[in-house]
Amino acid sequence: MKSLLLTLSLLLSLSAKADDLPSWKDGSVKSSIIDFVAKVTNEHSPYFVKPADRIATFDNDGTLWSEVPTVEVEFTKQKLDELLQKDPKLAKQEPYKKIIDSIKNKKKTDLTQEEIMTILAKTHAGMTEYEFRMSVERFFQEASHPKLHVPYPQTAYKPMLELLTYLAKNDFELFICSGGETTFIRAVAMSTYGIPSQNIIGTTFKDKAVERNGKLVLVRTEELDLVNDKSGKPIGINRHIGKHPILSAGNVKNGGDIEHLRYSSQGSLPNLQLLINHDDAKREASYSEPGNLSLKAAKKYGWQVISIKNDWREVYDTASLK
Amino acid sequence: MKSLLLTLSLLLSLSAKADDLPSWKDGSVKSSIIDFVAKVTNEHSPYFVKPADRIATFDNDGTLWSEVPTVEVEFTKQKLDELLQKDPKLAKQEPYKKIIDSIKNKKKTDLTQEEIMTILAKTHAGMTEYEFRMSVERFFQEASHPKLHVPYPQTAYKPMLELLTYLAKNDFELFICSGGETTFIRAVAMSTYGIPSQNIIGTTFKDKAVERNGKLVLVRTEELDLVNDKSGKPIGINRHIGKHPILSAGNVKNGGDIEHLRYSSQGSLPNLQLLINHDDAKREASYSEPGNLSLKAAKKYGWQVISIKNDWREVYDTASLK
């Protein structure tokens, strides 16, 4: 009788919640998400997880919004231009010379994480946290995606926005866990994803607290505090959350989420990992990873691989793209 | 008419919520708390703050529970004893020799923050985060307060527990912001205060992510990451939350919360700061601060000073002390 009730309540919750993910095509990935949420939220299920432990972490670039181009790279290129306009001599000095060569080199489409952080360090050290935040907000007000011609927040993936809403409705606490700089992500995370600034785990620089005109202000330095990428992600998650996420999502590109998803899968509670594969050149972009390490890890550890081509009915919110 | 409605709704909310703080004596401090919560939660008030911005930060030792003795000092002394039993030679070597002298010196009742962190570094470097957490949990299962003879979590101040509950009911998000080590506080924060591990801002050590038997584990190192005390507190708050708290509480002892409360008072939203003065030798403890810097700051910046003697009807939950 008890198991019949359990089956019935599971079926009911499955059918009731299927509509929460309309942009996802029916299939094993969508089922795995709905099954997982149904079992961890069902008090009669042996897999029940209490709300305080329903921690979900999401990579940002390539997982929640497009990374072609990477938004933070566009921001840092702009800041580098501004810096060079003010002081053209810098273009012949390191580390700028190497970075400029890297941008000009057509074979390289993107800056490395290290190059981004170097530019951020050089262009923003000495600014207060407030000034940096304002500089990021100005960028987001003015900038638009080079192909889609909309502000960057509108390049958020519609199926992922549905997933965030669905999880929040089921009392998950949502976090971003990104290699991007924390303050940069905070500037748009609430309005784009409904994720507040206190739930952003990103790369951080060391701050100094200094006195200015009778006020205490936080001044950014060049010194990296934590690079929240690759094996830095579990370190960032432990520092910020202190628990293993029960749901984590990342994407194929450079192996940046392998340790993130492994850390989630090593928790003692039921857990689910999602890895997005960018295989849709027509609607978004198609790229793979040297050595296919992320896909190999997905196979080894049993993660769900999301094929944009096959699993997503829509990629962007077409209404907002018009 | 609108202002009459506003006055009426304020009065109603004041009377309805007065009972939420039964251990607080009527007076200017209690009124300031109730007035503040009423105005920031009232949508018709010009001081309304939306729930996502109702951030409250609390120091722990001496603010939420007793710091006579400081619980983490008792823990570190025990760990130091265990270390010296294993390797007695260490007692003649630095930094142990100096710390042992400091403990034996009767004039000094406490270890400094630096000494605590040195012991924590020396006794726990090389442990995994999981092992350290287990070591802290064992301590809390066995240890009891030397005078009150109850487990330490029962030395939480009853009026402050009421305040936490009252704020949570009014959609404040509660954080601990303590000089204590983060993992140490996490071990009891949920069961004692209802504050989850993701809302603990404390002192942190750098971790390494390493491979062990096919698993990814986080290993503690001796290197301090952030000392979340004095001017480290605003840095910790910005790193973790990215907003100014609208309510912050600390206590008189060594000026550890001055920058914490100043940072709160510098936010652009309505805000309230509370500073506990330990002036009740009979029921708790009486101690002041060299130079009275915290009390002077309270006067200068307009913070509410809580006198344990005059503002609290009860200090501990007497039922739990029996």
Side-chain angles (χ1 to χ4, degrees):
Chain A
M1 186 62 192
K2 204 177 161 190
S3 87
L4 178 65
L5 274 177
L6 178 60
T7 312
L8 272 173
S9 74
L10 264 170
L11 281 173
L12 276 172
S13 62
L14 287 178
S15 64
K17 281 164 185 167
D19 280 337
D20 288 323
L21 302 173
S23 302
W24 294 72
K25 289 188 200 163
D26 291 333
S28 60
V29 173
K30 182 172 181 173
S31 304
S32 75
I33 296 171
I34 295 173
D35 291 357
F36 177 73
V37 173
K39 73 183 184 185
V40 299
T41 56
N42 185 329
E43 284 185 59
H44 306 291
S45 153
Y47 302 103
F48 179 71
V49 175
K50 57 183 198 294
D53 292 329
R54 289 183 206 156
I55 304 289
T57 53
F58 291 84
D59 173 53
N60 188 30
D61 298 316
T63 297
L64 292 181
W65 70 8
S66 176
E67 62 183 344
V68 186
T70 310
V71 187
E72 198 170 353
V73 172
E74 298 309 295
F75 172 74
T76 49
K77 279 182 188 168
Q78 190 190 90
K79 296 298 138 185
L80 182 63
D81 280 348
E82 289 170 12
L83 185 75
L84 295 177
Q85 270 170 20
K86 266 196 234 163
D87 189 355
K89 286 194 310 291
L90 291 176
K92 311 223 158 167
Q93 294 168 21
E94 296 300 354
Y96 309 100
K97 193 173 173 298
K98 202 176 136 212
I99 293 170
I100 294 162
D101 288 346
S102 174
I103 294 170
K104 282 186 190 154
N105 182 346
K106 293 253 167 87
K107 283 180 203 153
K108 278 197 71 169
T109 52
D110 253 354
L111 296 172
T112 65
Q113 194 69 12
E114 199 194 341
E115 287 168 336
I116 296 169
M117 292 309 154
T118 304
I119 301 175
L120 275 186
K122 292 288 174 193
T123 53
H124 294 94
M127 262 191 189
T128 65
E129 280 291 341
Y130 178 79
E131 289 162 350
F132 179 63
R133 172 72 176 253
M134 291 303 107
S135 143
V136 175
E137 290 192 353
R138 268 198 310 280
F139 168 80
F140 277 112
Q141 275 159 17
E142 296 161 4
S144 60
H145 190 280
K147 283 194 183 155
L148 300 169
H149 308 294
V150 292
Y152 285 108
Q154 287 174 38
T155 71
Y157 303 130
K158 195 180 178 202
M160 295 306 283
L161 294 178
E162 289 170 2
L163 178 58
L164 295 178
T165 305
Y166 173 54
L167 293 173
K169 211 173 96 177
N170 282 283
D171 294 326
F172 277 71
E173 186 173 351
L174 311 178
F175 292 83
I176 286 178
C177 179
S178 164
E181 202 274 348
T182 300
T183 306
F184 186 81
I185 303 165
R186 280 175 175 161
V188 288
M190 188 67 189
S191 56
T192 310
Y193 310 122
I195 300 182
S197 66
Q198 56 268 38
N199 286 29
I200 308 303
I201 310 169
T203 290
T204 47
F205 287 89
K206 284 205 181 291
D207 275 338
K208 278 188 305 192
V210 300
E211 294 288 335
R212 273 192 198 163
N213 308 320
K215 288 222 168 190
L216 182 80
V217 292
L218 301 180
V219 173
R220 294 174 67 91
T221 75
E222 282 192 30
E223 192 185 344
L224 273 164
D225 179 40
L226 173 70
V227 180
N228 194 63
D229 199 30
K230 300 191 175 177
S231 69
K233 288 200 176 188
I235 292 171
I237 290 170
N238 180 64
R239 185 170 91 170
H240 198 105
I241 306 178
K243 291 173 191 167
H244 292 260
I246 67 165
L247 189 154
S248 291
N251 68 285
V252 171
K253 187 186 180 191
N254 57 6
D257 284 304
I258 296 175
E259 284 88 347
H260 173 198
L261 272 54
R262 281 183 71 198
Y263 192 66
S264 165
S265 67
Q266 286 179 13
S268 58
L269 297 171
N271 53 70
L272 178 72
Q273 292 73 40
L274 305 170
L275 183 76
I276 297 175
N277 193 21
H278 293 268
D279 57 1
D280 193 333
K282 202 174 154 200
R283 296 187 304 170
E284 197 242 356
S286 176
Y287 48 91
S288 59
E289 184 177 299
N292 285 318
L293 293 179
S294 295
L295 287 171
K296 282 178 188 163
K299 200 168 177 185
K300 183 172 175 186
Y301 300 113
W303 304 337
Q304 293 293 322
V305 176
I306 299 169
S307 155
I308 293 187
K309 197 171 167 183
N310 301 320
D311 290 313
W312 288 358
R313 216 179 286 283
E314 285 185 89
V315 176
Y316 303 110
D317 186 339
T318 44
S320 81
L321 289 190
K322 273 168 197 164
Chain B
M1 186 60 190
K2 204 179 160 191
S3 87
L4 178 65
L5 274 177
L6 177 59
T7 313
L8 272 173
S9 75
L10 264 171
L11 280 174
L12 276 172
S13 62
L14 287 179
S15 64
K17 279 164 187 168
D19 279 337
D20 288 322
L21 303 173
S23 303
W24 294 72
K25 289 189 200 162
D26 291 334
S28 60
V29 174
K30 182 172 180 170
S31 305
S32 74
I33 296 171
I34 295 174
D35 291 357
F36 176 73
V37 173
K39 73 183 185 186
V40 300
T41 56
N42 185 328
E43 284 185 58
H44 307 290
S45 153
Y47 302 103
F48 179 71
V49 175
K50 57 182 197 295
D53 292 329
R54 290 183 204 155
I55 303 290
T57 52
F58 291 84
D59 173 53
N60 188 30
D61 299 316
T63 298
L64 293 180
W65 70 7
S66 176
E67 62 182 344
V68 187
T70 310
V71 187
E72 198 170 353
V73 172
E74 298 309 295
F75 171 75
T76 48
K77 279 182 187 168
Q78 191 190 88
K79 296 297 138 187
L80 182 63
D81 280 347
E82 289 171 11
L83 186 74
L84 295 176
Q85 269 170 21
K86 265 196 234 162
D87 189 355
K89 287 194 309 290
L90 292 176
K92 311 224 159 167
Q93 296 169 20
E94 295 301 353
Y96 308 101
K97 192 172 173 300
K98 201 176 137 213
I99 292 169
I100 294 162
D101 288 347
S102 175
I103 294 170
K104 282 187 188 152
N105 183 346
K106 292 253 167 84
K107 284 179 201 152
K108 278 198 71 171
T109 52
D110 253 353
L111 296 173
T112 64
Q113 194 70 12
E114 198 193 341
E115 287 168 336
I116 296 169
M117 292 309 154
T118 304
I119 301 176
L120 275 187
K122 292 289 176 191
T123 53
H124 295 94
M127 263 190 190
T128 65
E129 280 291 341
Y130 179 79
E131 288 161 350
F132 179 63
R133 172 72 175 254
M134 291 301 107
S135 143
V136 175
E137 291 193 351
R138 267 198 310 279
F139 168 80
F140 277 112
Q141 275 158 18
E142 294 161 4
S144 60
H145 190 279
K147 283 193 184 156
L148 300 169
H149 307 294
V150 293
Y152 285 108
Q154 288 175 37
T155 72
Y157 302 130
K158 196 179 177 202
M160 295 306 283
L161 294 178
E162 289 170 3
L163 178 58
L164 296 178
T165 305
Y166 173 55
L167 293 173
K169 211 173 94 176
N170 282 284
D171 294 327
F172 278 72
E173 186 172 352
L174 310 177
F175 291 83
I176 286 178
C177 178
S178 163
E181 201 273 348
T182 300
T183 306
F184 186 81
I185 303 165
R186 281 175 175 163
V188 289
M190 188 67 190
S191 55
T192 309
Y193 310 122
I195 299 183
S197 66
Q198 56 267 38
N199 286 27
I200 308 302
I201 309 169
T203 291
T204 46
F205 287 89
K206 284 205 181 292
D207 276 336
K208 279 188 304 194
V210 301
E211 294 288 335
R212 273 192 197 163
N213 307 320
K215 289 221 167 190
L216 182 79
V217 292
L218 301 180
V219 173
R220 293 173 67 91
T221 74
E222 282 192 31
E223 193 186 345
L224 273 164
D225 179 41
L226 173 70
V227 180
N228 195 63
D229 199 30
K230 301 190 174 176
S231 68
K233 287 199 177 190
I235 292 171
I237 290 170
N238 180 64
R239 185 171 91 170
H240 198 105
I241 305 178
K243 291 173 190 165
H244 291 261
I246 66 164
L247 189 154
S248 291
N251 68 286
V252 172
K253 187 185 180 189
N254 57 5
D257 285 304
I258 295 176
E259 284 90 347
H260 173 197
L261 272 54
R262 280 183 71 200
Y263 192 67
S264 165
S265 68
Q266 286 179 13
S268 58
L269 297 170
N271 52 69
L272 177 72
Q273 293 73 38
L274 305 171
L275 182 76
I276 297 176
N277 193 22
H278 293 267
D279 58 0
D280 193 334
K282 202 173 154 202
R283 296 188 301 171
E284 197 243 357
S286 175
Y287 48 90
S288 59
E289 184 176 298
N292 285 319
L293 294 179
S294 296
L295 287 171
K296 283 177 187 163
K299 200 169 177 184
K300 182 171 176 186
Y301 300 112
W303 304 336
Q304 292 293 321
V305 176
I306 299 168
S307 156
I308 293 186
K309 199 170 165 180
N310 302 321
D311 290 313
W312 288 357
R313 216 180 287 282
E314 285 185 88
V315 176
Y316 303 110
D317 187 338
T318 44
S320 80
L321 290 189
K322 274 169 198 163

